[in-house]
Amino acid sequence: MTTTSTSTRLEFRKLTGRIGAEVTGAGPALELDAGTVTALRAALNEHKALVFRGISIDDEGQQRFARYFGELTTAHPTVPAVAGAPNVLPVDSEDGRSNHWHTDVTFVLNPPQASTLRSVVVPPYGGETLIASAAAAYRDLPAPLRDFAGTLWAVHTNDYDYAIPPESLDEAERERRAVFISIRYETVHPVVRVHPLTGERGLFIGGFAQRIVGLSTGESRDILRLLQAYVTRPENVLRLAWEPGQLVLFDNRITQHYAIDNYDDAPRRLNRVTVAGDVPVGADGKQSYALKGDASHYTPVAGAGRGVSSPGAS
Ligand SMILES: [Fe+2]
């Protein structure tokens, strides 16, 4: 059988110096051969976020695409899936707006290793997604702060400090929040996570990180704010404007993201499919551990050792 590998047609165009690349040559249906998947994985390791434009896939196609990178999670540990598509989470402006910095589902023991977002309804203006490199943030830290961060562990929970206090919510919002925390999760993760495929270090904090183990609430907040300021530096952030037929794949182990709430009352809908992840490992080689909540109905655990290569090898 003679087939031409589509990987030979792949091209990557960097979108910023530190994060993001646009991919061309993967085809509108994103049906990939093994060589292409390998090339995309290497590009994901390097660029952290890959943007595909002019694609033509439905929920089924998005699930197939995400599965090239590992087993899927279900839609969410507590939030219902799209009807008939158990691995698809609707990210709909009708159901709230993720205008806070976070890494997806870090309150469970093994958060997704990668997330895909696909445009379904694009607002006429605004609604961009910001994606930040937590690796660049770590590299930006002065050496004493880098060393200090490497000693810290943080408790991540889905019952986190919301930007909007409960008394300001309407009934529908209160109901959504109740569903979100219908199972309460608390997991301790290293503040500096070592990427299992590249050995690269990144700050692993974000909106679900509530406090630092061994420190008071006030001390925790100050330190998390100090470190988070490096993640959200404009130089470390890709600002992705959505258009129809677009999909982004980002490495959820070493990025944070934020959905800008700047599109008034226009509808906005993305569908999310996530790839099951490994248990994070810190700079000292120790693994994350769960304090509360079982997520085995949501995600299998990916083997951390699978495909490990030395830094710079891919
Ligand atoms: Fe998210």
Side-chain angles (χ1 to χ4, degrees), residues 146-200:
R146 224 182 288 152
D147 293 344
F148 174 55
T151 68
L152 302 176
W153 290 71
V155 179
H156 293 234
T157 176
N158 55 336
D159 194 8
Y160 62 103
D161 245 0
Y162 292 88
I164 305 169
E167 62 273 18
S168 305
L169 297 178
D170 66 27
E171 204 171 320
E173 290 164 335
R174 247 196 303 274
E175 174 59 23
R176 276 196 296 275
R177 188 172 294 185
V179 169
F180 193 79
I181 58 172
S182 56
I183 305 170
R184 284 172 203 259
Y185 289 97
E186 278 185 18
T187 300
V188 178
H189 291 302
V191 166
V192 175
R193 180 180 185 178
V194 180
H195 195 288
L197 299 181
T198 64
E200 194 173 27

Side-chain angles (χ1 to χ4, degrees), residues 91 98 100 102-105 115 117 208 250 252 257-258 272:
V91 178
S98 287
H100 62 105
H102 65 285
T103 301
D104 284 336
V105 202
S115 295
L117 288 172
F208 299 117
F250 59 85
N252 196 55
H257 56 283
Y258 181 115
R272 180 176 102 185

